[in-house]
Amino acid sequence: MALSIQHLTLPIEDPLLKFLLELIIILCIPLFLNKIKVPHILGLLIAGAVVGPNGFHLLSRDSSIVVTGTTGLLYIMFLAGLEINMGDFKKNKWKSITFSLYTFAAPFVLGFVGGYYILGFSLLTSVLFASLFSSHTLIVYPMVSSLGITRNLAVNLTVGGTMITDVLSLVVLAVVVGMSQGEVGPSFWARLSVSMVVFALIVLLLFPIIGRWFFKNVSDKISQYIFVLVMIYMAALLAELAGIEAIIGAFFAGLALNKLIPHSSSLMNRVEFIGNAIFIPFFLISVGMLIDFAAFIKSWETLGVAMIMLVASIGGKYAAAIATQKTFRLTADEGKLIFGMSAASAAATLASVMVGYNIILSENELGEPVRLLNEHVLNGSILLILISCTISSFISMASAQRIARAEKENTVSGKSEEKENILLAINHQSTVENIVNLGLLVKTHSNKDRLYGLNIIAEGLNESSAKNAEMLLGSAVRLAAAADTILKPITRHDNDVVSGISNVVKEQNVTDLIIGLERKKGFSASFVYNLHKGYLKNRHINVLVYHAAQPIATVKDYTVLIPAHAEKEAGFFHSLLRIWNISRNSGAKMNFYASREITEILKSIKSKVNIEASFMEIASWDEAEMAAEKVGEDTGLILMMANRGMDTYSEKMQNVPDMLNKSFSGNNYILIYPFSTVQDTEVERRAVSNHQDFAEIGNMISAVFRA
């Protein structure tokens, strides 16, 4: 069917042609700019300007562009909140507050001086004008995140400070708008304060409860993703009702769902993929469409306003970054990264400018409207967005790449690079998803292809067993792939399951074996026999026995029981790394119960590799069992166990399976059996000889996380 003449008119109205053109831009711009090492963010902004109303007018900035662009803006803020490590954030909250005060005050002062004393704006307009530069948009966050340094202190400070400084600048906007309309009074302040508190309580307290219930009861992957979008828009709407900008609502939604969407999960991969592929590029194109280069040729006043805006914004952010670097003794690259990430003005700045531009204070003698912010500020803000995003992209990527490279070099040069081959014993359809999700959580970040799924077909079974094995392993492969991880399926014919697993353990140099318990069966007599007489005979590997009563992402916290003298076992630190990974990848809090000696070790490691954790000293296994009895709903249980002949072994450990069957069938629990044979590494030689240098071990585990 031929295109009608309507399809060829400009701007393009046909939805097929519009969407096709936008997709071509999103596809081609990064491919071209990657070759010349120019950030694709800049390319998408320029492409938006070229095809937009102020360029060749191929596309109009209509409602379809605005809707998808708005989603992209909310997505950026949501991802920033979602990827914050709450343990790191709480640890560094005062540093984040300090940075936010620097990065709010420095541009504000410069902007007020420029507006009031140089441009001659009124006091009210000057305050709003100054607030434009105090906020910033984490437009480069997706690129920084892709380098794997989101837990770097500089990134953590910047992301945490963004929430505070954007809220402050938007509160200034709300106050100025109220004053311009004569609405400021005790009732105004009371209404604004109460509405903001109510909004924060609803999102941060109620959203996690709703999310936990939903993820517990709905396993459909598409529904889970749609639920996430609903939560983003719901929080954004609540923020607007509270009198603040929608982007703050999206950020709070990310904080609220932070622990329910593990960083290594398939849902997290889905959220990031769709956002970075569709919504965020559409936002960048929509911002680019606002750029009008002709405005600077027509009016020198516009150019002068733009120059003052650039000096106030870029200069202020640079001063704040340097002050933060000096205050907390960060490296030069970390200081540059803070400047780069905070230099971009887009979201809150554009929102404030549009609000100020749309407020008409009066009319002049020519009958023209006198606006709170005039058209020169509007056009200057567009140039500010373009230049600040350009500077932000180049400086952020250059410094982030150097930081990432330095961290990798530290890991490679150390002697502690963790080698892991994780084997998942997949025998039952009901346990496949649970085992794969646990495997994704316990693995280190850099491990993308050392996950194995094994199904044993006992000799003499019919052809249907082979088809069932293929189905189970295929399901496991797809689940891992959804989280951007390669799972290698292994089907093996053997005399029995136990011997088959043991043979694969040797052939694949397995370091960790994960075995799943069926939810309703728990520990059966035959499983306990196979565990002690079979699986634990592989003394050179960690064995994890996992029972899942609910999705692992919905577990709030874990009670971790570690027996006395566990630090003497060769596999203690390897097992501890698995526990640390669960916390870091899921955000769940770990409540450790251990002896004084072990508690000191745990605190030493936490000081280097931070997780959200508490530490309680216990003196006996009886006290450990008493702690386990306090486990409630949505709390998991992790027990570090021991086999006979190990220093940690206690006769009372024989009663653990019965205790779990009777009292913990409704909870998630993990039994970890550390390996006990001496391995040829520095950590394990020290562990066996009981002469560990615990600070060095903390550095080693820290290096593993940076890998």
Side-chain angles (χ1 to χ4, degrees):
M1 179 178 175
L3 290 174
S4 65
I5 191 67
Q6 178 185 356
H7 294 87
L8 300 177
T9 58
L10 297 180
I12 297 173
E13 298 294 340
D14 183 80
L16 292 178
L17 285 179
K18 287 176 61 177
F19 199 68
L20 176 60
L21 178 58
E22 291 161 350
L23 288 179
I24 290 174
I25 292 172
I26 295 171
L27 173 65
C28 295
I29 291 295
L31 292 177
F32 171 72
L33 294 182
N34 284 342
K35 294 182 179 180
I36 57 176
K37 297 183 178 181
V38 174
H40 68 272
I41 287 177
L42 175 58
L44 291 173
L45 287 170
I46 295 175
V50 171
V51 303
N54 300 313
F56 291 105
H57 206 184
L58 300 180
L59 299 175
S60 59
R61 197 173 185 271
D62 57 16
S63 59
S64 64
I65 298 291
V66 172
V67 168
T68 50
T70 300
T71 302
L73 171 57
L74 298 178
Y75 229 100
I76 289 175
M77 298 302 294
F78 175 73
L79 286 176
L82 194 63
E83 295 203 27
I84 287 180
N85 182 282
M86 296 308 295
D88 289 341
F89 180 71
K90 291 178 180 178
K91 179 182 178 181
N92 300 312
K93 60 180 179 293
W94 295 114
K95 294 180 180 179
S96 292
I97 291 173
T98 302
F99 163 70
S100 66
L101 294 177
Y102 285 157
T103 198
F104 178 86
F108 187 91
V109 170
L110 291 176
F112 182 82
V113 170
Y116 191 74
Y117 292 102
I118 299 178
L119 297 177
F121 291 158
S122 67
L123 180 63
L124 206 58
T125 299
S126 296
V127 171
L128 180 57
F129 181 74
S131 71
L132 301 180
F133 319 119
S134 295
S135 64
H136 54 258
T137 302
L138 296 173
I139 203 165
V140 297
Y141 187 82
M143 294 193 300
V144 173
S145 175
S146 67
L147 294 175
I149 61 168
T150 54
R151 293 191 173 108
N152 180 276
L153 178 59
V155 179
N156 197 265
L157 290 181
T158 309
V159 173
T162 296
M163 173 180 63
I164 301 170
T165 192
D166 280 6
V167 168
L168 289 175
S169 62
L170 293 172
V171 167
V172 171
L173 171 65
V175 172
V176 169
V177 170
M179 293 180 68
S180 68
Q181 298 174 348
E183 297 178 358
V184 174
S187 61
F188 168 80
W189 292 108
R191 184 172 63 252
L192 181 63
S193 301
V194 171
S195 63
M196 289 181 65
V197 170
V198 171
F199 156 76
L201 291 176
I202 290 175
V203 176
L204 296 180
L205 298 181
L206 187 59
F207 275 34
I209 296 173
I210 297 173
R212 186 166 284 106
W213 174 87
F214 187 88
F215 291 132
K216 274 186 180 181
N217 294 279
V218 179
S219 58
D220 179 69
K221 306 304 180 186
I222 296 177
S223 298
Q224 289 182 349
Y225 178 75
I226 298 299
F227 172 79
V228 170
L229 287 182
V230 169
M231 290 294 99
I232 295 173
Y233 269 93
M234 184 68 71
L237 178 61
L238 289 174
E240 289 189 340
L241 293 176
I244 55 180
E245 283 300 313
I247 55 176
I248 301 299
F251 184 84
F252 271 67
L255 294 177
L257 299 182
N258 185 286
K259 294 185 177 182
L260 295 175
I261 308 178
H263 295 163
S264 59
S265 67
S266 58
L267 179 56
M268 183 65 164
N269 188 59
R270 214 171 282 121
V271 169
E272 290 183 323
F273 176 80
I274 297 177
N276 292 329
I278 301 295
F279 293 125
I280 294 176
F282 268 94
F283 163 67
L284 297 172
I285 293 174
S286 69
V287 171
M289 286 183 175
L290 294 171
I291 299 173
D292 182 9
F293 295 106
F296 302 98
I297 301 174
K298 296 175 182 177
S299 172
W300 284 103
E301 185 177 352
T302 297
L303 195 57
V305 171
M307 291 303 297
I308 292 175
M309 295 176 74
L310 286 169
V311 171
S313 180
I314 304 300
K317 294 300 182 183
Y318 181 76
I322 295 300
T324 304
Q325 177 191 335
K326 299 297 184 183
T327 301
F328 302 117
R329 298 179 181 178
L330 303 177
T331 66
D333 279 330
E334 288 174 328
K336 291 176 182 176
L337 181 59
I338 291 176
F339 168 59
M341 292 185 66
S342 62
S345 298
T349 299
L350 190 59
S352 298
V353 168
M354 294 306 297
V355 171
Y357 181 76
N358 290 327
I359 293 178
I360 299 176
L361 301 176
S362 61
E363 291 185 355
N364 60 21
E365 58 275 8
L366 299 177
E368 298 172 339
V370 177
R371 303 177 184 272
L372 186 59
L373 293 178
N374 59 36
E375 64 275 5
H376 301 303
V377 176
L378 176 63
N379 290 325
S381 67
I382 300 304
L383 184 61
L384 171 64
I385 290 172
L386 177 62
I387 294 179
S388 66
C389 288
T390 302
I391 293 174
S392 175
S393 299
F394 278 106
I395 293 180
S396 295
M397 288 310 296
S399 55
Q401 286 170 352
R402 287 194 295 269
I403 291 173
R405 185 166 57 249
E407 290 185 351
K408 290 177 181 178
E409 288 172 355
N410 290 338
T411 300
V412 172
S413 62
K415 297 180 180 180
S416 62
E417 187 174 354
E418 182 79 358
K419 295 181 180 178
E420 60 181 23
N421 293 306
I422 301 174
L423 180 64
L424 314 179
I426 297 174
N427 299 313
H428 307 286
Q429 181 64 49
S430 61
T431 63
V432 173
E433 183 171 1
N434 295 327
I435 293 178
V436 172
N437 287 336
L438 178 61
L440 294 172
L441 288 186
V442 301
K443 75 179 184 65
T444 54
H445 178 74
S446 60
N447 181 358
K448 295 288 187 180
D449 60 354
R450 293 292 181 176
L451 212 58
Y452 299 86
L454 171 65
N455 185 275
I456 303 297
I457 302 175
E459 291 294 346
L461 296 182
N462 55 31
E463 184 180 348
S464 62
S465 298
K467 292 182 178 179
N468 183 62
E470 183 180 352
M471 178 190 70
L472 294 178
L473 292 174
S475 177
V477 169
R478 288 190 294 272
L479 287 167
D484 196 26
T485 300
I486 299 172
L487 184 144
K488 300 176 182 178
I490 301 174
T491 303
R492 185 183 182 91
H493 294 264
D494 217 303
N495 293 328
D496 59 76
V497 173
V498 175
S499 63
I501 290 177
S502 297
N503 289 330
V504 172
V505 164
K506 298 172 185 175
E507 294 166 0
Q508 300 296 336
N509 295 317
V510 169
T511 58
D512 300 85
L513 170 63
I514 301 179
I515 307 169
L517 294 173
E518 292 187 79
R519 179 177 180 181
K520 295 181 179 179
K521 291 184 178 180
F523 283 96
S524 63
S526 60
F527 182 88
V528 173
Y529 178 85
N530 288 335
L531 178 65
H532 289 281
K533 299 299 181 180
Y535 305 130
L536 296 181
K537 293 297 182 182
N538 300 289
R539 289 182 175 270
H540 60 287
I541 66 170
N542 269 20
V543 177
L544 290 80
V545 180
Y546 179 44
H547 172 269
Q550 65 187 78
I552 199 166
T554 63
V555 177
K556 288 183 180 178
D557 56 3
Y558 289 87
T559 296
V560 184
L561 309 180
I562 302 177
H565 310 301
E567 76 278 9
K568 297 179 180 179
E569 305 297 348
F572 172 68
F573 291 99
H574 185 95
S575 300
L576 203 56
L577 178 59
R578 302 294 159 240
I579 298 173
W580 236 259
N581 279 342
I582 292 173
S583 179
R584 287 179 66 87
N585 291 328
S586 69
K589 181 181 180 181
M590 294 292 171
N591 302 303
F592 290 97
Y593 291 81
S595 66
R596 178 178 299 177
E597 293 79 9
I598 294 176
T599 299
E600 291 301 318
I601 298 172
L602 298 173
K603 290 180 179 178
S604 174
I605 297 174
K606 184 179 183 295
S607 67
K608 300 177 183 299
V609 187
N610 188 50
I611 60 172
E612 191 172 0
S614 64
F615 306 95
M616 278 68 69
E617 293 183 11
I618 58 174
S620 67
W621 187 255
D622 289 334
E623 290 185 47
E625 291 183 344
M626 292 174 61
E629 292 174 359
K630 300 177 183 179
V631 170
E633 186 179 0
D634 296 328
T635 295
L637 183 64
I638 299 177
L639 298 93
M640 193 172 289
M641 303 289 287
N643 203 1
R644 288 183 182 274
M646 298 173 66
D647 292 333
T648 318
Y649 181 74
S650 168
E651 292 290 339
K652 294 182 179 180
M653 289 184 179
Q654 297 181 39
N655 302 324
V656 168
D658 288 336
M659 177 190 73
L660 295 174
N661 281 346
K662 292 178 181 178
S663 305
F664 297 92
S665 60
N667 294 86
N668 285 22
Y669 56 78
I670 304 170
L671 275 63
I672 303 179
Y673 293 85
F675 59 76
S676 58
T677 54
V678 180
Q679 302 291 314
D680 189 23
T681 68
E682 183 67 19
V683 178
E684 289 140 8
R685 283 200 300 273
R686 291 184 178 183
V688 173
S689 63
N690 198 26
H691 293 295
Q692 301 97 327
D693 179 348
F694 298 134
E696 178 65 19
I697 290 170
N699 288 331
M700 291 178 176
I701 292 182
S702 178
V704 171
F705 286 123
R706 290 197 302 265

